[in-house]
Amino acid sequence: MANSKFAYVKLFEEEKKILLNCYFVVRIDGSDFKKFIKQHEYVKPNDLRGLNLMNECAISVLKNYDEIDFCYGHSDEFSFLFRKSTKLWNRRHDKILTNVVSYFTSSFIFNWKKYFPNKELVYPPSFDARIIVYPTEDEIKDYFSWRQADCHINTQYNECFWNLVLKSNYTHEEAYKFLLTTQTKDKNELLFTRFNINYNNLPEIFRRGTIIIRNKNYKKNNALKINTTQHVQNDEEWKKQINQHTHIENSDIDLCHISNVDTNNNCDPDSLKPYPNDQSNTTDKFITTHENLITETFWNKYDFVFKKKKELKCKEYSHS
């Protein structure tokens, strides 16, 4: 085509590039996933199989693209943080966007049977995606704090909604109207008094989502250990796991200090003890956690996220 008379049509193509020396996030969202979840009979209000499938897809993306150091996801979305110095595909916007979302989608289909062994895919899922550019680390921290706050709000609402529908025989419309004017403290009270559910005792993966970090202290000669949830053999066992809620948690709601998130918790964020700044872990290539990332203590613990490997090596030598 290059030497043909038709080659001029290539002049109509636009090439958009991502601004140099800036971080950027690729956020992937399930497209019309309410329909997909209903059609494939996900457990309500939270299906651990679906969440672990999404997490495995995210790890697959991190394995395939070395320029991603951090990602966060909940429900049907995942956000991937690219280094500000990345030169992947010469920072071509469309090239990066389409490759990441298509790889995530194909990983979802490829791994489906591992998490839903008794359920055939009725139709292929689809995901949309966007790229957001951020100039500094502060905006990056606020972005991921926003996504985790959204996880908390959605999880609490869904927990109330589906318990009203499944246990109190409300219609969807009745449950929606009942919750329309409720605040966080009202939802907590509803869950506890009517359904004997302490929201703070729900598994962290439901309340906080999943954080996956590329461990820059990882050494290739050490054994690779990726923490994964043990697979169960059938759907009924999954339902038992999810409904038991035996996970022991801290009783504090992590978002108590965020002004735009209503909560009846009175904890003092300044009293939170810092995480130990232990970066000696060299065996896990990817760190999977469900911690509260809306405090600076989280970013202090994983401060290597924003550092280059050579900076970490210099720090290591200075302490040796």
Side-chain angles (χ1 to χ4, degrees), residues 215-219 222 278-284 287:
N215 188 357
K216 294 180 182 178
N217 297 296
Y218 167 77
K219 291 182 172 55
N222 289 343
D278 179 13
Q279 298 178 10
S280 60
N281 179 6
T282 61
T283 59
D284 296 337
I287 301 168

Side-chain angles (χ1 to χ4, degrees), residues 57 85 103 125 129 178-179 181 216 219 239 244 270 287 311:
C57 296
S85 60
Y103 194 83
F178 183 88
L179 296 171
T181 59
K216 294 180 182 178
K219 291 182 172 55
K239 291 177 183 178
Q244 283 174 354
D270 295 327
I287 301 168
E311 292 181 89

Side-chain angles (χ1 to χ4, degrees), residues 70-221:
F70 184 97
C71 67
Y72 170 80
H74 69 89
S75 186
D76 63 341
E77 73 166 63
F78 247 100
S79 296
F80 299 92
L81 174 64
F82 280 78
R83 298 171 195 158
K84 64 193 304 183
S85 60
T86 184
K87 296 179 181 177
L88 181 66
W89 288 307
N90 203 20
R91 297 178 75 95
R92 289 162 59 192
H93 180 281
D94 294 345
K95 189 80 169 179
I96 294 172
L97 185 69
T98 54
N99 272 274
V100 173
V101 69
S102 63
Y103 194 83
F104 188 96
T105 305
S106 59
S107 296
F108 190 97
I109 297 171
F110 182 79
N111 290 296
W112 173 263
K113 273 296 185 179
K114 186 186 296 186
Y115 296 93
F116 293 85
N118 301 323
K119 179 67 64 176
E120 294 292 335
L121 271 173
V122 179
Y123 64 89
S126 62
F127 294 84
D128 59 51
R130 70 203 70 186
I131 290 179
I132 316 105
V133 179
Y134 293 107
T136 71
E137 296 171 14
D138 289 337
E139 286 85 12
I140 291 297
K141 293 174 183 178
D142 286 345
Y143 170 82
F144 285 108
S145 296
W146 168 51
R147 299 320 304 143
Q148 192 172 70
D150 193 62
C151 172
H152 157 71
I153 293 168
N154 290 340
T155 298
Q156 189 183 52
Y157 179 88
N158 288 334
E159 196 73 30
C160 292
F161 181 90
W162 286 107
N163 273 285
L164 287 171
V165 171
L166 298 175
K167 296 180 180 179
S168 293
N169 297 318
Y170 278 50
T171 65
H172 286 200
E173 183 67 21
E174 288 170 341
Y176 169 76
K177 289 181 178 179
F178 183 88
L179 296 171
L180 194 59
T181 59
T182 56
Q183 302 298 317
T184 296
K185 61 182 180 180
D186 303 319
K187 293 183 179 73
N188 283 339
E189 185 70 17
L190 170 68
L191 289 173
F192 189 75
T193 57
R194 187 178 293 194
F195 305 111
N196 196 29
I197 295 173
N198 186 334
Y199 174 79
N200 300 299
N201 289 337
L202 294 179
E204 289 178 324
I205 189 173
F206 296 162
R207 294 185 291 113
R208 296 177 181 168
T210 299
I211 304 158
I212 305 173
I213 307 167
R214 185 182 301 279
N215 188 357
K216 294 180 182 178
N217 297 296
Y218 167 77
K219 291 182 172 55
K220 290 183 179 180
N221 58 338

